[in-house]
Amino acid sequence: MFYALILLLLFSACAEEKSQHLSVQLFPARLAADARGTTYATWDTVQFAFKDQILNYVIAPEPLITEWNIIACKIADQPNGSKVVAARLNAYSSKKMQAFSAKPDQLKQPLGLKVGERWVSFQPLLIPVQDRVQLRDFTAAEAERLQLDIELR
C-alpha cells in the first residue's frame, strides 16, 4: 500500500500537461452581402471587426489549409506591429492551393484566417500560389507558437 502511494505521487508529480498545438485555418470566404445562391447555403456566417466597422462574412465549411499543411515558416514584422508568417506548404496543400488560385476570380476573393478561436484577417491572395503562402496579422505569441509547433512535430 505504501509503495502504491509513492508510485502514485511520483507519477502525478512527473506528469505534465501537454499544451494543445495552435490551430491555424484558412477558409474561402465572401462578404455576406455578396454571397448569393445555393452555394453559400451551407457556409457559416462570422462577424469581423475591421477598423471602426463590423463586417459579416460567410465562411466555407472546410478550410483550404490548416497548420498541419505547413511544413516550415518564417516570421516577419508588419508595419502595424503584427507578424506575417511566410508558410511553406506540403505537396498536397500546395497542389490544392495552386488549383484554387488558378482561377482568376478566386485571387480577389477574401480568405478567412482563423488562429485558435480568433478570426485574424480576411484578405485576398492577389497572386497565384506555388508552394508558399503569406498569412498576415498574427500576434507575436501566435507566430512564435506556430513556429515552435512546426519544429516539434
Side-chain angles (χ1 to χ4, degrees), residues 85-98:
V85 173
R88 192 171 67 159
L89 304 173
N90 62 21
Y92 169 78
S93 58
S94 179
K95 288 179 185 175
K96 186 176 180 180
M97 289 301 293
Q98 287 173 14

Side-chain angles (χ1 to χ4, degrees), residues 16-37:
E16 289 183 27
E17 278 192 41
K18 294 198 177 202
S19 60
Q20 295 291 326
H21 65 275
L22 182 67
S23 171
V24 176
Q25 300 172 314
L26 188 66
F27 291 87
R30 300 288 183 275
L31 277 169
D34 297 338
R36 293 182 180 87

Side-chain angles (χ1 to χ4, degrees), residues 93-130:
S93 58
S94 179
K95 288 179 185 175
K96 186 176 180 180
M97 289 301 293
Q98 287 173 14
F100 179 82
S101 65
K103 302 171 192 161
D105 61 320
Q106 298 284 36
L107 295 176
K108 295 181 182 177
Q109 297 298 330
L111 295 175
L113 177 60
K114 187 176 184 182
V115 177
E117 294 300 316
R118 181 175 77 94
W119 287 101
V120 175
S121 66
F122 286 86
Q123 297 179 357
L125 286 172
L126 299 179
I127 58 172
V129 174
Q130 294 299 316

Side-chain angles (χ1 to χ4, degrees), residues 34-47:
D34 297 338
R36 293 182 180 87
T38 58
T39 304
Y40 306 106
T42 60
W43 290 30
D44 291 330
T45 302
V46 298
Q47 290 187 333

